[in-house]
Amino acid sequence: MTKIAVAKGDGIGPEIMDAVLGIFDAAKVELEYEVVEMGKWVFDKGYSNGMTPEAQESIESLGILFKGPMETPKGKGVKSVNVTARKTWNTYANKRTFQTLHGVDTVFSKAGIPIDITIVRENIEDTYGGIEHMLTHDVALGRRFITRPGSMQVIKYAFEMAKKKGCRRITCGHKANIMKITDGLFLEVFYEVAKEYPELNADDVIVDDLCMKLVSRPDLFDVVVLTNLQGDIVSDLCAGLVGGLGFAPSANVGDHISIFEAVHGTAPDIAGKNIANPTSLLLSGIGMLQHLGMTETSAMIENALLYTLESGVHTGDFGDKSIPSINTSEFSASIIKNFGKLPAHNPRPIIANHYVTPTHFKLEKNPMIESLEMQQEEIVGVDIIIECNEQPNDVAAKALKHTMDLFKLVTISNRGTQVWPKGSVFTNLVNSYFCRFESIGDVPVTQTDILELYKRMTKDYKVSSIELLNMWGGKKAYTLAQGQ
Ligand code: NAI
């Protein structure tokens, strides 16, 4: 029998996990559970990553983690256990499915507009690297990672999943019109992968337009793939379309380890009262059973859940207020009682189980994901970021003294807007300037040349940071300042 790791989590986690495992037991799901120690309560015991070494070892050897919500400890410098788990085990694709559920009233269900959207969100990169620094007392700077191999992993997963599900359309949501290099790379990879799937209608939408279209015509979308932060926001928006976070399942899929969890948090306001809605965790568990090829059992449980919702049975957080709500245990008992019944709307097809045993990987070293394509690389300049509250012309006058015969000062910007050689006195300034030096004649320079320039600039200013300006295959690998 397949064994999986289970972490019940914090707050309502243990209540809803017990409810779901009770439903699984009644359905004779062929799984063995190893309950592992993970969550805020483990963090409080002194484990800084929120899990015991034994829990980490079990999850890494079993390959599947079914988890309840976990509280993020408050305080600066403390990372979320949930995010740490997703990142450490490289569960690069966060898949969330949003479907109309009859019995869960929304404006769309009342208008007869069906929703069936799958959001695939990149789960590792973007601003979730949490790489942020104060450049000055006034200026915070965050870094955003978008990588070619990371984008490739999640986008390939999205196309493959869309193909298997028989979807018509796959859409990339992005903001490449503004973030030309980062989102531009994600979009480029999307269309590269799209070439391998001619049967799918691949298109792209700018993320703000996507949000507007999702709330006006959600039925037009099928699979949407996005970078991490935009995907996070858009998937909660989609949860709202189908009745809220209580109805949104989530799978974090990787090559070695996958994590199935509810989308909502630990609901501290209702914890310990046996009134939480276990639907989101149950739907996530159903997704896990499908992942493990237990298609017949998962369809039986899902049909019972849909039948129960259709019949008007509900916990306190949703449903027809004229029908009294029931508690968590009663809700799961109702589902068990409805095993074998089919909902009137969208019954799930019963497909014979085809068990997939999770592969037990023993990795000796960290996998290096790298694209093979190498381009000729040259350093042609540097952005030197300085702390300073002088006027742009005064900064330029000093910076120009340090260019040696190698560099020219091409632009000075403040918050991304050019303020020298041209600018406007109406541009508000903060005490951090980017001074861009390019090599004269675009000839390649060395890191030692850059260090010399850096050293000279420190005579006048505190240098907060530097960024190299690279040319790859003859193309600029950096953006221009606004107005440059
Ligand atoms: P939350 O999702 O826990 O609660 C928001 C509201 O929704 C509350 O009123 C709560 O009672 C209600 N709610 C949530 N789930 C429910 C359910 N199953 N049944 C009935 N009502 C439900 O979000 P909040 O309050 O922002 O976060 C609480 C904690 O959870 C924080 O420490 C946060 O970091 C953590 N969290 C963990 C997540 C995870 O483990 N994946 C995801 C989101 C938050």
Side-chain angles (χ1 to χ4, degrees):
M1 199 171 333
T2 301
K3 195 172 187 186
I4 63 162
V6 170
K8 295 190 178 183
D10 304 304
I12 58 168
E15 300 159 52
I16 55 173
M17 183 59 85
D18 288 344
V20 171
L21 296 185
I23 294 170
F24 280 11
D25 286 348
K28 303 202 167 35
V29 167
E30 293 172 67
L31 281 179
E32 255 185 83
Y33 310 113
E34 182 167 330
V35 177
V36 297
E37 296 192 319
M38 194 176 170
K40 163 77 164 43
W41 63 278
V42 183
F43 178 87
D44 289 342
K45 278 166 70 177
Y47 297 96
S48 62
N49 62 353
M51 64 185 102
T52 58
E54 295 76 25
Q56 177 162 355
E57 204 183 310
S58 297
I59 295 161
E60 290 180 0
S61 80
L62 296 172
I64 300 275
L65 170 64
F66 188 31
K67 74 176 269 296
M70 292 175 189
E71 185 183 329
T72 301
K74 294 201 172 64
K76 274 195 177 169
V78 183
K79 305 245 175 182
S80 149
V81 183
N82 306 300
V83 176
T84 303
R86 290 173 209 154
K87 286 166 66 76
T88 308
W89 294 316
N90 204 56
T91 62
Y92 50 76
N94 180 219
K95 179 181 132 187
R96 298 188 189 178
T97 311
F98 305 96
Q99 288 177 323
T100 305
L101 294 167
H102 294 270
V104 182
D105 278 348
T106 66
V107 280
F108 296 102
S109 65
K110 284 181 185 158
I113 299 174
I115 298 176
D116 186 357
I117 303 171
T118 304
I119 300 285
V120 179
R121 158 189 172 196
E122 197 287 317
N123 222 8
I124 310 287
E125 307 188 341
D126 202 342
T127 45
Y128 287 69
I131 303 197
E132 302 187 320
H133 298 92
M134 292 301 293
L135 291 185
T136 73
H137 276 98
D138 282 347
V139 181
L141 184 74
R143 302 285 171 116
R144 179 169 193 250
F145 281 104
I146 301 292
T147 71
R148 175 175 286 280
S151 303
M152 193 59 92
Q153 283 184 321
V154 65
I155 290 169
K156 276 197 167 159
Y157 168 82
F159 272 91
E160 203 48 40
M161 187 272 304
K163 183 176 153 184
K164 277 198 197 127
K165 242 182 116 187
C167 299
R168 320 151 258 135
R169 180 179 180 194
I170 177 162
T171 305
C172 178
H174 63 87
K175 194 75 185 169
N177 53 331
I178 302 295
M179 293 178 278
K180 292 180 196 299
I181 292 198
T182 48
D183 270 22
L185 175 59
F186 193 75
L187 186 60
E188 186 183 305
V189 172
F190 176 82
Y191 281 115
E192 249 173 67
V193 176
K195 285 192 207 133
E196 294 163 32
Y197 296 84
E199 66 277 38
L200 288 170
N201 180 7
D203 63 357
D204 71 280
V205 185
I206 291 175
V207 68
D208 35 346
D209 188 25
L210 173 68
C211 291
M212 195 274 290
K213 289 188 166 121
L214 279 168
V215 295
S216 51
R217 288 297 306 275
D219 51 320
L220 297 182
F221 292 93
D222 207 347
V223 175
V224 185
V225 57
L226 299 117
T227 52
N228 204 343
L229 178 61
Q230 293 167 31
D232 191 7
I233 297 164
V234 170
S235 49
D236 273 24
L237 181 152
C238 290
L241 301 177
V242 297
L245 291 181
F247 301 96
S250 168
N252 301 285
V253 183
D255 289 339
H256 306 115
I257 296 168
S258 295
I259 305 172
F260 297 83
E261 62 179 340
V263 180
H264 58 73
T266 57
D269 49 335
I270 57 166
K273 296 183 180 161
N274 190 31
I275 57 172
N277 177 1
T279 306
S280 173
L281 188 64
L282 179 58
L283 285 168
S284 308
I286 288 169
M288 178 178 72
L289 300 185
Q290 286 162 354
H291 182 86
L292 293 168
M294 301 180 184
T295 36
E296 189 172 343
T297 327
S298 71
M300 195 273 286
I301 301 173
E302 195 170 4
N303 281 329
L305 167 69
L306 297 179
Y307 182 93
T308 307
L309 294 173
E310 271 182 4
S311 65
V313 168
H314 65 95
T315 46
D317 54 309
F318 76 102
D320 184 346
K321 295 289 172 225
S322 66
I323 304 173
S325 61
I326 56 175
N327 66 29
T328 314
S329 335
E330 289 162 342
F331 188 76
S332 53
S334 306
I335 295 170
I336 294 169
K337 211 171 76 209
N338 290 330
F339 279 172
K341 298 202 174 120
L342 290 182
H345 302 92
N346 305 328
R348 302 295 184 249
I350 313 277
I351 302 165
N353 290 334
H354 53 281
Y355 297 101
V356 179
T357 313
T359 318
H360 297 289
F361 296 93
K362 267 256 166 270
L363 295 184
E364 298 299 328
K365 51 184 185 176
N366 294 69
M368 171 67 72
I369 50 166
E370 201 176 11
S371 20
L372 297 173
E373 199 184 318
M374 293 301 276
Q375 286 169 334
Q376 196 200 345
E377 179 186 321
E378 286 167 351
I379 304 172
V380 292
V382 62
D383 280 338
I384 296 195
I385 304 156
I386 55 164
E387 177 169 352
C388 153
N389 59 8
E390 298 164 3
Q391 286 294 305
N393 281 337
D394 300 329
V395 179
K398 286 187 192 159
L400 281 166
K401 288 192 302 184
H402 301 307
T403 50
M404 305 174 277
D405 287 332
L406 265 181
F407 297 98
K408 54 184 191 265
L409 178 67
V410 288
T411 178
I412 299 178
S413 61
N414 196 292
R415 287 195 285 176
T417 305
Q418 178 171 280
V419 290
W420 184 91
K422 277 195 195 128
S424 162
V425 284
F426 289 95
T427 305
N428 283 3
L429 302 172
V430 294
N431 60 359
S432 176
Y433 283 96
F434 277 55
C435 302
R436 175 162 291 180
F437 297 91
E438 285 178 1
S439 62
I440 294 168
D442 276 346
V443 291
V445 290
T446 63
Q447 294 197 69
T448 314
D449 299 331
I450 302 282
L451 272 179
E452 184 55 34
L453 179 60
Y454 181 115
K455 216 165 85 187
R456 286 171 180 239
M457 286 294 281
T458 59
K459 288 185 184 145
D460 288 315
Y461 299 111
K462 179 182 165 205
V463 173
S464 325
S465 182
I466 66 159
E467 273 317 327
L468 295 183
L469 303 179
N470 293 301
M471 294 271 268
W472 283 336
K475 277 199 211 147
K476 283 188 164 76
Y478 52 92
T479 50
L480 301 181
Q482 215 135 44
Q484 191 185 348

